[in-house]
Amino acid sequence: MGFTKFEQEQLRRLIAGQAEKNEDNKPRRRFVSSRTKTMMLRSPIDVRDLSFRLQTFPFFSNSHRDFLSLLSRELDIRIFHPGQTVLREGEYGEMTYILVHGEVEVVTESMSETHPPIRMRAPSIFGESPLLIGAPARRTATVIARAICDVRMVHQRIFNQLLSHFPSERLVYRKMAKERYGKRRRPRRGASISSTDSK
């Protein structure tokens, strides 16, 4: 997938702005427990090659590597320990979770006691509905870590802000949203990737 001249110029400005920001601003300080620091050190995922790993996810398979490179810089990291709940069924959220290392268990209230839980291993993505509809979405399952999990998270507003600079990428995810949801869900009005599909 090639970029138009307009998209190439937008990309150049975004990269230049990111470099300027990194030079002028000090990194934000976040509280991280000593246990989490240890787990982060054990994670085999290098942030520098994360954008290449994203290309292995079916959700991102049709995205350009330059778009994924910018996206990888906006991802927050979270380490979940075995038994921790990543997201809970019935709650509303705006974050999407990208599992780059580890294993999780997916359960729903409708599952019978005899039904075995669904296991998902990296690389996988879950909770992606907010990205596609451009708004908070109700969680349809509970996800629990079953191993030490390296999870990268992205907020739907950040994702859609990036898409606003890449019209061709916006079309990819707009098509994905239409195929997945059709007319069953209507996003709020605004700059979401599927906003022009609701008529």
Side-chain angles (χ1 to χ4, degrees), residues 75-130:
L75 300 179
D76 290 327
I77 181 174
R78 178 81 184 274
I79 303 298
F80 290 91
H81 308 295
Q84 276 191 298
T85 299
V86 182
L87 57 85
R88 194 177 302 277
E89 182 178 2
E91 295 181 348
Y92 281 81
E94 297 185 79
M95 303 293 288
T96 291
Y97 301 80
I98 303 170
L99 181 65
V100 295
H101 180 73
E103 182 179 6
V104 298
E105 182 178 278
V106 182
V107 295
T108 66
E109 294 180 355
S110 61
M111 282 184 177
S112 64
E113 295 182 358
T114 58
H115 191 287
I118 300 171
R119 294 289 182 103
M120 293 174 58
R121 294 180 179 179
S124 58
I125 182 172
F126 48 89
E128 68 272 24
S129 293

Side-chain angles (χ1 to χ4, degrees), residues 59 93-97 125-140 156 160 177 180-181 185 187 193-194:
F59 188 82
E94 297 185 79
M95 303 293 288
T96 291
Y97 301 80
I125 182 172
F126 48 89
E128 68 272 24
S129 293
L131 298 189
L132 296 177
I133 66 175
R138 183 179 180 275
R139 306 305 189 185
T140 58
Q156 62 88 7
N160 280 283
R180 184 174 298 191
Y181 303 121
R185 303 180 72 165
I193 58 179
S194 56

Side-chain angles (χ1 to χ4, degrees), residues 3 9 67 70 79 82 87 95 126 151 153 183 199:
F3 283 161
E9 178 62 21
F67 172 76
L70 288 174
I79 303 298
L87 57 85
M95 303 293 288
F126 48 89
V151 178
M153 305 181 299
K183 296 182 179 180
K199 298 179 181 179

Side-chain angles (χ1 to χ4, degrees), residues 28-43:
R28 293 175 293 173
R29 292 186 178 182
R30 298 181 181 178
F31 172 77
V32 182
S33 68
S34 58
R35 184 184 181 191
T36 297
K37 285 181 180 179
T38 302
M39 298 306 176
M40 288 173 67
L41 290 174
R42 291 180 184 175
S43 175

